[in-house]
Amino acid sequence: MSLHGDYDSQNIFAKIIRGEAPCYKVYEDDDVLAFLDVFPQSFGHTLVIPKRAAARNLLEVDADSLTKVITVVQMLTKVLVAELQPAGVQVAQFNGAPAGQTVFHLHMHIVPRFEGEALAVHAGGKAEPEALAALQARIVARLAA
Ligand code: 5GP
């Protein structure tokens, strides 16, 4: 059952943390990594993950890692709102396949919402590399400002 089970160290986010797979990184510290979702549900869709916790979901993550992750979620949500000026922003987290989880390393979604724009299909179409790189540069620049 996907809600329970062993942590698979070969999942894509574990590979990204180890540098074995690429990502459009927007923020990193000792404990937390944030990068763009390559199958974005909206413009600016960003994922925030713990680097040190081998946790599949909210049930497994230690409180310290969770605190660090949500603190970065809030910080990046403010940055995304400032840079992209959405009309709203959705923060989500899924546990188990029936709840919509497809990658089994705990992550939080930050999904800016724009007036009149429906969400794209979850984990649907892949964004263009050039568009992701341009967006990454905007967010990194805003963070540094
Ligand atoms: P979940 O469905 O588990 O809540 O979210 C997993 C998210 O990871 C999805 O939104 C999906 O688009 C995204 N995703 C899947 N594979 C990759 C990948 O290789 N790189 C990045 N950056 N995002 C991915």
Side-chain angles (χ1 to χ4, degrees):
M1 207 161 93
S2 64
L3 188 57
H4 306 287
D6 295 330
Y7 181 84
D8 175 10
S9 62
Q10 294 307 309
N11 77 74
I12 184 62
F13 293 172
K15 289 182 179 177
I16 288 173
I17 291 167
R18 292 194 298 267
E20 295 167 9
C23 74
Y24 294 88
K25 180 166 68 182
V26 295
Y27 175 82
E28 182 170 24
D29 62 29
D30 286 346
D31 302 291
V32 180
L33 177 65
F35 50 91
L36 299 179
D37 198 306
V38 293
F39 305 98
Q41 287 191 269
S42 76
F43 187 58
H45 186 167
T46 299
L47 301 169
V48 184
I49 67 173
K51 286 165 64 178
R52 297 178 187 274
R56 303 165 83 246
N57 55 43
L58 191 67
L59 306 181
E60 297 179 0
V61 70
D62 63 281
D64 185 50
S65 296
L66 183 60
T67 301
K68 285 169 172 158
V69 165
I70 196 68
T71 300
V72 171
V73 167
Q74 185 191 37
M75 181 275 290
L76 279 177
T77 299
K78 291 178 180 177
V79 168
L80 287 163
V81 166
E83 179 61 27
L84 305 180
Q85 301 284 309
V89 61
Q90 189 175 327
V91 173
Q93 189 273 322
F94 307 124
N95 302 282
Q101 187 175 15
T102 58
V103 177
F104 295 92
H105 177 107
L106 173 82
H107 53 279
M108 307 277 304
H109 297 258
I110 308 173
V111 185
R113 299 300 304 270
F114 300 90
E115 213 68 69
E117 286 187 22
L119 279 187
V121 174
H122 184 54
K126 200 164 189 174
E128 292 299 324
E130 299 77 14
L132 289 167
L135 177 58
Q136 175 193 28
R138 282 180 66 181
I139 297 166
V140 168
R142 172 68 69 161
L143 254 171

